[in-house]
Every structure is written in C-alpha cells, then in structure tokens.
Amino acid sequence: MNIIEIKDLCHNFANGSPGIIDINLTIKKGEFIVIAGQNGSGKTTLCRHLNGLLSPASGSVLIKNVSVKSDPSRARQIVGMVFQNADSQIVGETVYSDIAFGPENLRLNRKEIDRRVKLAMEAVGLQGMDDHRPHTLSGGEKRKLAIAGVLAMNPEILVFDEPFSNLDYPGERHLLRQILDLHQTGHTILIITHELEKVVAHADRLVIMRKGRIVKTGIPHEIIHQVEDFGIREPCSSRLGHGVNSWLN
C-alpha cells in the first residue's frame, strides 16, 4: 500500500525561482526512506509539502489517497515533522505543556491527552521532567522534546530533517536507536540528510536530490558508490569495500 504519492510536484519560491521540479515519488507504508542531497537541493522543500506547510505551484501530494491540498489538517495528523532546529517547535512553558499542545488542538479529552503525553515522554526518555522549562534543557533534550511533541499527535509517518545536527556522539547514537525503534513499531520513516554515514544502512531506499530534482533512487547498497557524483560524501565503510554497515556496530 502506498501511503505517500507525489505526482509531478513543482514549487516556486517567493522570488519566482524553482524550489523543486517535477517530483514523482511513491512511498509504501512502513518504509524507511533516506532523502539525501547537498544543501539547497530541495530536500526540506519537498518534505514540507507532505503536511501542507508549503503549497505546490503544480502537481499533487496524496497521503493515504487524499490530497494534502484538499485537507491539510488531516495530513498534519498523519505526517509528523521534526525540524532541524528543535527550538522552532517548542511552544510550551513546560515540558508537559509543550507535548500536550498538539493533542489539545485536536480537542481530545484530558484523559487521552495525559495518556499521549505520558507515552511520548516514555518513548524519548523524558520521564519525570513534566515541569521542566524547555529553555533550560540541553540540545539533546530539546530534540527529544520536539520528537515527543510530534509523537503525541500519534502520526503514522515521521519526517526527520537533519536529525543529528548539534548533537554530541552519545546523543546521535541514542536518537538513531529511537528512530529505529519507531520504525519497528510500524511508523513510516523519512530522514532528510546530507550525511549518509549514520542512517543509510537502515534505509529501504535512498533518494538523491540535486537542484530541486530527484536524480537517483534505489536500494542503498546498489547506488552508494554513485553518491559522490552528486556532491554527497560516501560512507567510509563502503569506500573501504566493507559495504553499507550500521553506524551502531
């Protein structure tokens, strides 16, 4: 079953320059997709069409067979996006109120909101921090909070935009394990990155973008040696002839 269908998608920036051009992509339920490319290649612009944060100049995006343009609220309940800058997603005065913000806007009852907040906090390891002020959290804790806020909306699709930026090594490894756990529980995962080393071994498919277009897509180990043609650093393991190995090993 295709959970995402992108057809002939184009987007222009406010100054008229093209952001993405003629994108066609289908993603099956439960897939783990890595979208890679240099800065400015259109990765984030593309993914912001999945929940209606951007509107296309032409073409369409269907989430579970319904157009995002026709029902953006529905799309935002199905597609959760964790932005590169965690601070941009933090809106509450406490950890609890920040995570509860989304469910409250869905007009859920208090018992269900409390349940979702508790489950989200447990999923990311923020138990017992209900009353902490977000601005006092570390960078890694803020990233956890941003993820928890998205998880509380109970989305089926999770999009992570450069998830490892500004994290230290232990924080990167912890976050990768969380993402893999979420995939194991049935979430469809999309990771936007220009660094393949950490995630490509876990991907079902690698999508490469350049200058607003998809220029290559395939099974990671089959196309990994071509990524440097598109300005992306090839992982050390494949350069050394060891294949596409998990960064957690």
Side-chain angles (χ1 to χ4, degrees), residues 3 14 105 111 127 149 164 184 209 222 224 237:
I3 196 167
N105 279 283
K111 184 177 180 180
Q127 305 98 309
F164 305 104
Q184 287 296 313
M209 294 190 67
E222 293 180 352
I224 195 67
S237 60

Side-chain angles (χ1 to χ4, degrees), residues 157-178:
I157 302 166
L158 289 165
V159 182
F160 295 87
D161 190 353
E162 299 290 357
F164 305 104
S165 63
N166 302 318
L167 293 181
D168 59 16
Y169 179 64
E172 291 173 334
R173 290 175 63 86
H174 181 77
L175 177 56
L176 179 55
R177 287 193 180 96
Q178 286 183 327

Side-chain angles (χ1 to χ4, degrees), residues 108-135:
L108 302 176
N109 63 58
R110 179 49 58 183
K111 184 177 180 180
E112 176 62 13
I113 292 170
D114 288 341
R115 186 187 74 83
R116 290 195 182 196
V117 171
K118 180 181 178 182
L119 288 175
M121 292 179 74
E122 289 175 351
V124 302
L126 290 178
Q127 305 98 309
M129 299 182 70
D130 305 51
D131 297 325
H132 284 228
R133 301 287 179 174
H135 72 272

